[in-house]
Amino acid sequence: MQTQEKYVLVTGAYGGMGRAVTAALAKNGYRVLAFDKTVGEGAAGVLPVEADITTEEGVARALEAVKGYTDSLFAILHFAGIYMLDSLVEMEAEQFRRILDVNFYGAFLINRAFLPMLSEGSRILITTSELAPLDPLPFTGLYAVTKGALDKYAYSLRMELQLLDIPVSVLRAGAVKTKMLDVSTDALDRFCEKTALYTCNAKRFRNIVNRVEARCVPPEKIAAKTLKILKNVNQSSHMRSIAIRFFCFLTFCRSVSSFLRSAWFCVHETKGEDKVKLVISALVKFLLGVLLVGLLLFLPAGSLWFVNAWLFIGLLFFPMLVLGIVMLVKSPALLAKRLNAKEKEETQRWVVAVSGLLFFAGFLVAGFDFRFGWSHVPLWLVVIASVILLVSYALYAEVMRENAYLSRTVEVQEGQKVVDTGLYGIVRHPMYAVTVWLFLSIPIVLGSFWSLLCFLPYVAVIAVRIGNEEKVLEAGLDGYTEYKKRVKYRIVPFVW
């Protein structure tokens, strides 16, 4: 297998989760450097390394041992950890220091010492807790503190190391069926006996712990998830990411500059008050759109290094800018109608409101997806979605060229006639057909499968809008009923 010479360092390799992960890695052809304070016998593909990760001396000795096997690492996986149930105001100071050292300080020492052995495309996986950092239970306070600190450390490390193209993933495991659960149960029994402050509460808490542990998952499930993370982490080049960001930024700056020059030309040549207002209105709405989308993406992402967001902004606003300039020069009346978004129909006002909520939710989820690494969208799929978005934009422009009566609002305009040529000869609502493809490609361009769930209801929203629009057109547009008989399909040929 191609993974045969890939060395993976696993801390806590002889614990419950670590042992399952080590076995799964070895089975899949990786060479596992199995770190633990007390190691067992080696196996095929497993190289035991006795290591005390809580001291600099222990980590230094382990580093020398690893150099005897390899000078590079494919991944560092952190599974070392201990679980403790005790009162924050009754526990011994030595217990406090020990759990902090094992659960948090050890990860820092290992990453600092072994970072030089990682290269572009290597990765780090840090295991935290599903609930502890978010909503700790009583008497798990210290465990929650260490896991919460580890969670924030992992996120901060991720922000740093992505500049070196070294991904950092976080695995938030829940209750896992290992010996740690038995040890924690014994610790809880001792706590119930010794506590002088929480006698009644401690016994009641025992029932809560039993219910939580009853829903534990086997460690093999964690091992399978770990393998999936190792295989799916994006391996794109750091320089390519920098180039994309720079290109998007440069394109945006040049686009704004071109728009301002064109706008000034139009104002200067016509000197018409209406044209001046149109230019100003278009420019303000364009810049506000860029600002709003940027805030919705980058604020939840917590970083400007959200490459897919820059890519999307470039793909969305550059064609929009070009189209706006063309309309301003060729058909300012059509641009004015497109800027008018005040719906008269009650149903359409609801449609616009729901669409806006879906977009807000989709962008926010995409940002959080980047921050927490929920999705792993392959690069080839992002490229396909980007092509679909650009093709959709081109078709959108063609629809606007064909139909001079096209407006953002549902209405019948004075002198409006039925358009039945070009794309309108295939489906009755080609603009909606194009926007469905355009909008569904957005979450994939942003690299978020979870965001796609927010955009999918847009298809139903469009169906409602079309139903209401056709009633308005049949009632007020001469010849539309006959047009419906000639062109039977709304947005999908031979389907609907």
Side-chain angles (χ1 to χ4, degrees):
M1 296 178 65
Q2 292 182 340
T3 58
Q4 187 62 41
E5 293 304 316
K6 289 183 178 179
Y7 285 82
V8 178
L9 188 161
V10 180
T11 67
Y14 288 89
M17 286 191 292
R19 189 182 295 273
V21 169
T22 295
L25 289 171
K27 184 178 180 180
N28 280 267
Y30 293 94
R31 302 276 287 175
V32 185
L33 297 158
F35 277 38
D36 218 317
K37 195 169 184 178
T38 303
V39 300
E41 295 183 0
V46 179
L47 306 170
V49 178
E50 187 173 320
D52 180 1
I53 66 170
T54 65
T55 68
E56 292 188 66
E57 296 78 10
V59 172
R61 287 193 294 270
L63 177 60
E64 292 304 315
V66 169
K67 288 180 178 178
Y69 295 113
T70 181
D71 58 359
S72 65
L73 294 175
F74 174 68
I76 299 175
L77 312 182
H78 293 275
F79 284 95
I82 54 177
Y83 186 61
M84 185 177 295
L85 291 165
D86 208 333
S87 163
L88 283 171
V89 294
E90 291 182 309
M91 69 172 55
E92 299 292 333
E94 182 59 32
Q95 288 180 307
F96 190 101
R97 283 193 295 268
R98 179 169 177 265
I99 189 171
L100 190 63
D101 285 346
V102 175
N103 289 3
F104 177 60
Y105 187 53
F108 160 73
L109 290 178
I110 288 291
N111 290 333
R112 187 182 66 171
F114 287 90
L115 180 64
M117 299 186 72
L118 298 177
S119 58
E120 187 177 295
S122 299
R123 65 285 319 270
I124 295 174
L125 173 66
I126 298 177
T127 307
T128 64
S129 171
E130 182 180 25
L131 296 177
L134 305 175
D135 191 15
L137 294 170
F139 313 119
T140 64
L142 181 55
Y143 177 77
V145 167
T146 60
K147 289 300 184 179
L150 187 62
D151 203 71
K152 292 301 182 184
Y153 164 77
Y155 169 67
S156 300
L157 186 67
R158 178 188 183 192
M159 294 297 102
E160 285 187 27
L161 295 189
Q162 68 179 348
L163 302 176
L164 305 177
D165 198 32
I166 298 177
V168 177
S169 301
V170 178
L171 178 59
R172 295 184 176 92
V176 183
K177 191 174 181 58
T178 65
K179 291 182 179 180
M180 183 184 288
L181 288 182
D182 298 330
V183 172
S184 66
T185 301
D186 294 339
L188 180 58
D189 289 336
R190 291 194 298 271
F191 170 61
C192 291
E193 293 175 1
K194 78 168 188 177
T195 181
L197 299 175
Y198 309 105
T199 306
C200 178
N201 305 80
K203 292 179 180 179
R204 194 177 302 133
F205 179 63
R206 175 62 188 269
N207 296 327
I208 298 175
V209 172
N210 288 339
R211 289 198 296 271
V212 172
E213 293 180 353
R215 299 193 298 269
C216 62
V217 299
E220 289 74 20
K221 188 171 182 179
I222 302 298
K225 182 66 175 179
T226 301
L227 284 171
K228 185 177 180 181
I229 290 173
L230 289 183
K231 293 177 181 177
N232 291 342
V233 169
N234 190 353
Q235 301 181 47
S236 62
S237 162
H238 173 61
M239 291 305 296
R240 184 170 63 230
S241 299
I242 292 292
I244 291 174
R245 286 191 287 270
F246 179 76
F247 173 78
C248 292
F249 177 76
L250 183 61
T251 300
F252 175 71
C253 291
R254 293 182 63 183
S255 299
V256 172
S257 176
S258 298
F259 185 90
L260 291 174
R261 286 199 302 270
S262 299
W264 170 251
F265 173 80
C266 292
V267 173
H268 181 71
E269 289 298 314
T270 60
K271 300 184 183 298
E273 184 178 346
D274 291 340
K275 184 64 91 44
V276 173
K277 290 181 179 179
L278 177 61
V279 170
I280 293 175
S281 176
L283 179 60
V284 169
K285 289 188 176 182
F286 175 79
L287 294 178
L288 286 177
V290 175
L291 178 62
L292 179 61
V293 171
L295 290 174
L296 290 173
L297 290 172
F298 292 114
L299 282 181
S303 171
L304 291 176
W305 295 100
F306 188 1
V307 178
N308 292 73
W310 287 111
L311 173 63
F312 167 69
I313 289 173
L315 292 175
L316 178 68
F317 287 104
F318 181 69
M320 184 184 297
L321 185 64
V322 172
L323 190 58
I325 293 173
V326 172
M327 292 172 64
L328 185 63
V329 175
K330 298 287 186 180
S331 182
L334 179 58
L335 177 60
K337 284 188 288 185
R338 296 299 300 167
L339 292 175
N340 175 25
K342 296 179 180 179
E343 291 285 358
K344 299 176 182 178
E345 295 285 327
E346 180 68 22
T347 300
Q348 297 302 337
R349 285 198 290 269
W350 278 102
V351 166
V352 171
V354 172
S355 299
L357 289 175
L358 292 176
F359 274 82
F360 270 71
F363 290 145
L364 290 173
V365 169
F368 284 119
D369 196 337
F370 170 79
R371 169 176 287 194
F372 298 112
W374 297 332
S375 299
H376 297 288
V377 179
L379 181 61
W380 63 265
L381 190 55
V382 173
V383 172
I384 290 176
S386 300
V387 171
I388 292 175
L389 193 151
L390 288 175
V391 171
S392 299
Y393 240 129
L395 292 174
Y396 190 89
E398 174 61 19
V399 171
M400 296 183 70
R401 189 193 66 80
E402 292 175 352
N403 188 355
Y405 302 101
L406 203 60
S407 171
R408 289 184 64 186
T409 59
V410 175
E411 60 181 355
V412 176
Q413 302 169 39
E414 184 178 352
Q416 182 174 346
K417 298 179 181 179
V418 173
V419 178
D420 58 1
T421 57
L423 295 174
Y424 282 91
I426 302 174
V427 291
R428 299 199 296 269
H429 301 278
M431 184 185 72
Y432 295 138
V434 168
T435 55
V436 166
W437 282 103
L438 190 152
F439 292 151
L440 292 184
S441 68
I442 288 175
I444 305 302
V445 172
L446 291 171
S448 174
F449 289 127
W450 290 103
S451 177
L452 180 60
L453 297 179
C454 298
F455 280 88
L456 281 176
Y458 182 75
V459 178
V461 172
I462 283 294
V464 173
R465 182 176 177 89
I466 289 174
N468 177 260
E469 182 171 327
E470 294 216 315
K471 291 179 182 179
V472 173
L473 294 175
E474 282 186 277
L477 182 59
D478 292 338
Y480 192 77
T481 301
E482 290 73 18
Y483 170 63
K484 285 181 64 177
K485 294 178 181 178
R486 295 196 304 274
V487 180
K488 298 181 180 180
Y489 303 103
R490 297 174 179 86
I491 61 173
V492 183
F494 309 108
V495 179
W496 189 72

